[in-house]
């Protein structure tokens, strides 16, 4: 949905603060298991990339109401369009943190949640910079912009990964531009 600047950028304040609090809690509650806490954080951070792919491919492009909202972003890419922080927070807590805490306990579940939150923040930052920042040819951001532009303008059945393309390679939905004729090609 369309967001005010304050609402759009709230992610950038709320999620780092929550991640610091959760990690401080995890280290405080279980200082001797600091390595397990760090591993849980990294697993949470990396897990986000998979959730990002699944959400974009199956939720944003297929689920009633949500797909209409996402279509507005496809039509108006410069608008501050996104998920309000309170809503993404509820989704993360209910669908990811709840099962993680149930399965791994409060300490490791908290560290996993902190990693997931920073992964989500990385996605939000990547998507914002893709649509709003200029990038030097050959840079990491330039390649992200190219990948995402193909999703927007050529084939919205591919390049679902925004912050990283690894799951598009795994699930064969990666779209690339052929060097010989500059025509996009790839999975459809
Ligand atoms: Zn986009
Ligand atoms: Zn899309």
């Amino acid at each position: 949905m369309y967001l005010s600047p304050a609402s759009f950028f709230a992610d950038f304040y709320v999620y780092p603060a929550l991640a610091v609090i959760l990690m401080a809690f995890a280290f405080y509650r279980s200082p001797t298991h600091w390595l397990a806490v760090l591993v849980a954080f990294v697993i949470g951070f990396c897990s986000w990339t998979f959730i990002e792919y699944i959400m974009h491919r199956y939720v944003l492009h297929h689920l009633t109401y949500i797909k209409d909202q996402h279509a507005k972003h496809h039509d108006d890419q410069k608008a501050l369009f996104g998920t309000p922080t309170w809503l993404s927070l509820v989704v993360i807590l209910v669908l990811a943190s709840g099962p993680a805490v149930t399965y791994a306990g409060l300490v490791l579940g908290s560290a996993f949640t902190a990693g997931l939150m920073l992964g989500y923040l990385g996605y939000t930052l990547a998507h914002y910079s893709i649509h709003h920042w200029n990038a030097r040819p050959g840079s990491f951001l330039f390649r992200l912009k190219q990948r995402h532009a193909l999703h927007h303008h050529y084939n919205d059945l591919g390049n679902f990964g925004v912050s990283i393309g690894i799951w598009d390679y795994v699930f064969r939905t990666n779209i690339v531009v052929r060097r010989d004729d500059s025509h996009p090609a790839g999975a459809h």
Side-chain angles (χ1 to χ4, degrees):
M1 59 186 76
Y2 289 105
L3 300 173
S4 68
S7 179
F8 184 86
F9 291 107
D11 282 353
F12 295 87
Y13 305 103
V14 172
Y15 281 121
L18 287 177
V20 167
I21 290 169
L22 288 169
M23 289 302 285
F25 166 78
F27 284 129
Y28 177 76
R29 277 288 292 268
S30 196
T32 54
H33 294 108
W34 61 271
L35 186 57
V37 168
L38 280 183
V39 169
F41 174 85
V42 172
I43 290 174
F45 188 81
C46 295
S47 296
W48 167 258
T49 62
F50 181 66
I51 295 172
E52 173 187 311
Y53 179 87
I54 296 295
M55 292 284 279
H56 191 182
R57 181 171 180 178
Y58 295 108
V59 178
L60 299 188
H61 278 274
H62 290 284
L63 218 66
T64 309
Y65 177 74
I66 293 177
K67 72 177 180 185
D68 298 333
Q69 292 289 315
H70 189 62
K72 289 178 185 168
H73 164 61
H74 272 248
D75 293 340
D76 187 4
Q77 298 171 31
K78 290 285 185 192
L80 292 181
F81 205 87
T83 307
T85 304
W86 67 266
L87 183 55
S88 59
L89 192 56
V90 168
V91 171
I92 287 173
L93 291 179
V94 172
L95 295 184
S97 302
V101 169
T102 305
Y103 177 75
L106 194 56
V107 168
L108 296 183
S110 297
F112 175 85
T113 302
L116 203 68
M117 285 175 170
L118 290 194
Y120 173 70
L121 187 66
Y123 153 75
T124 305
L125 176 62
H127 195 211
Y128 177 79
S129 36
I130 281 168
H131 287 296
H132 293 268
W133 294 357
N134 294 322
R136 190 168 35 83
S139 66
F140 177 68
L141 179 57
F142 188 81
R143 289 197 293 276
L144 284 187
K145 285 168 78 81
Q146 276 188 319
R147 275 183 48 79
H148 198 60
L150 289 172
H151 171 75
H152 271 288
H153 301 294
Y154 172 66
N155 182 357
D156 65 3
L157 298 178
N159 284 8
F160 295 107
V162 175
S163 61
I164 193 166
I166 184 169
W167 297 108
D168 284 294
Y169 286 99
V170 171
F171 294 112
R172 303 170 68 86
T173 51
N174 193 54
I175 304 167
V176 294
V177 179
R178 288 200 198 104
R179 285 182 182 278
D180 54 346
D181 59 10
S182 295
H183 287 307
H188 290 253

